[in-house]
């Protein structure tokens, strides 16, 4: 027969063993829960990161458009905003002349005599890959004009040129208001990142639009 002291020792040993057993099970449960939560959270984090990069892209494009417009108005001469869909860059071209809308008919437009690229901005920055930047409207999304009446402008030679006049407006060669809109999205998440930047010809106002999945349209 065991002494009370030995019996107490065995009870404590068993309790300690049971305690360690429960702790291990609890640890495994916690690890499993962390794994499940991580698996759920990672796709959302990736989607949010893409959305953030897309928002930064459209803000940069808008900023460069406004910069070109302000330069045209301050210098009282035409300045061109150019989006290059091959290099994924934006150039601001100072034409250094007072031809106004007449330069739109120049055979060498927008690289007219005396023209100079005064600013060049790459869009593939901050972890955004150039091949992800896609010009246009994702399949399945509405292709109607934006609420300001401006529709997507087609590229010419993989470029989009928007020439701001000395008063800040955008016109065609005949002098008629010529609204322009640049549509972009990230090819890895089209619907989530679809956006547009429009320029109203008569006023030269620049505005960002983002696709609203709930309303199925581009909202400002």
């Amino acid at each position: 027969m065991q002494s009370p002291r030995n019996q107490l020792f065995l009870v404590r040993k068993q309790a300690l063993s049971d305690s360690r057993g429960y702790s291990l099970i609890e640890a495994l449960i916690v690890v499993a829960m962390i794994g499940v939560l991580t698996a759920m959270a990672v796709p959302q984090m990736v989607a949010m990161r893409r959305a953030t990069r897309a928002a930064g892209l459209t803000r940069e494009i808008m900023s460069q458009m406004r910069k070109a417009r302000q330069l045209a108005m301050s210098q009282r001469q035409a300045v061109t905003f150019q989006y290059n869909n091959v290099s994924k860059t934006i150039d601001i071209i100072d034409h250094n002349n007072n031809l106004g809308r007449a330069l739109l008919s120049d055979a060498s437009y927008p690289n007219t005599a005396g023209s100079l690229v005064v600013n060049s901005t790459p869009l593939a920055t901050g972890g955004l890959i150039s091949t992800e930047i896609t010009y246009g409207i994702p399949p399945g999304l509405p292709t109607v004009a934006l609420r300001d009446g401006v529709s997507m402008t087609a590229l010419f030679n993989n470029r989009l040129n928007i020439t701001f006049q000395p008063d800040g407006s955008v016109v065609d060669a005949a002098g008629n208001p010529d609204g322009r809109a640049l549509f972009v999205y990230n090819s890895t998440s089209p619907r989530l990142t679809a956006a547009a930047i429009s320029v109203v010809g008569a006023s030269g106002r620049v505005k960002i639009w983002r696709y609203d999945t709930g309303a199925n349209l581009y909202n400002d």
Side-chain angles (χ1 to χ4, degrees):
M1 183 175 181
Q2 295 182 348
S3 66
R5 182 175 180 179
N6 289 339
Q7 289 179 354
L8 178 61
F9 173 76
L10 291 174
V11 170
R12 288 180 176 176
K13 184 177 180 180
Q14 184 64 40
L16 181 60
S17 177
D18 292 344
S19 176
R20 287 177 180 172
Y22 286 124
S23 296
L24 178 59
I25 293 173
E26 290 172 354
L28 291 175
I29 292 174
V30 170
V31 170
M33 291 178 63
I34 291 174
V36 171
L37 293 175
T38 300
M40 294 173 60
V42 167
Q44 295 180 357
M45 292 175 62
V46 171
M48 289 178 62
R49 184 178 299 175
R50 286 172 180 162
T52 300
R53 289 175 179 171
L57 172 67
T58 49
R59 283 196 299 268
E60 182 61 39
I61 294 173
M62 180 182 70
S63 174
Q64 295 303 317
M65 278 191 188
R66 288 179 171 174
K67 184 181 295 185
R69 182 173 184 268
Q70 290 168 359
L71 184 60
M73 296 175 70
S74 64
Q75 294 188 161
R76 303 301 299 169
Q77 58 189 25
V79 173
T80 295
F81 162 99
Q82 183 182 84
Y83 166 74
N84 187 319
N85 196 44
V86 176
S87 62
K88 308 298 182 181
T89 57
I90 291 173
D91 289 337
I92 294 179
I93 305 172
D94 188 343
H95 296 286
N96 292 307
N97 60 55
N98 295 312
L99 294 177
R101 63 184 174 86
L103 66 86
L104 300 174
S105 301
D106 193 303
S108 59
Y109 170 82
N111 302 310
T112 53
S115 295
L116 179 68
V117 176
V118 295
N119 191 69
S120 185
T121 303
L123 297 177
T125 59
L128 182 62
I129 303 173
S130 62
T131 54
E132 294 178 352
I133 302 173
T134 306
Y135 187 89
I137 300 173
L141 269 60
T143 58
V144 297
L146 300 168
R147 289 209 310 272
D148 58 7
V150 183
S151 300
M152 185 181 75
T153 304
L155 298 176
F156 179 74
N157 290 335
N158 282 309
R159 290 171 173 79
L160 171 64
N161 296 308
I162 302 176
T163 300
F164 292 95
Q165 298 300 312
D167 63 355
S169 65
V170 178
V171 299
D172 59 21
N176 302 310
D178 187 19
R180 299 294 182 96
L182 184 157
F183 283 68
V184 291
Y185 62 92
N186 188 313
S187 59
T188 61
S189 186
R191 296 176 67 89
L192 182 64
T193 60
I197 305 91
S198 68
V199 182
V200 176
S203 64
R205 185 196 64 181
V206 180
K207 197 170 188 178
I208 283 181
W209 307 79
R210 302 192 189 283
Y211 178 67
D212 184 334
T213 56
N216 191 33
L217 53 77
Y218 285 83
N219 266 327
D220 56 350

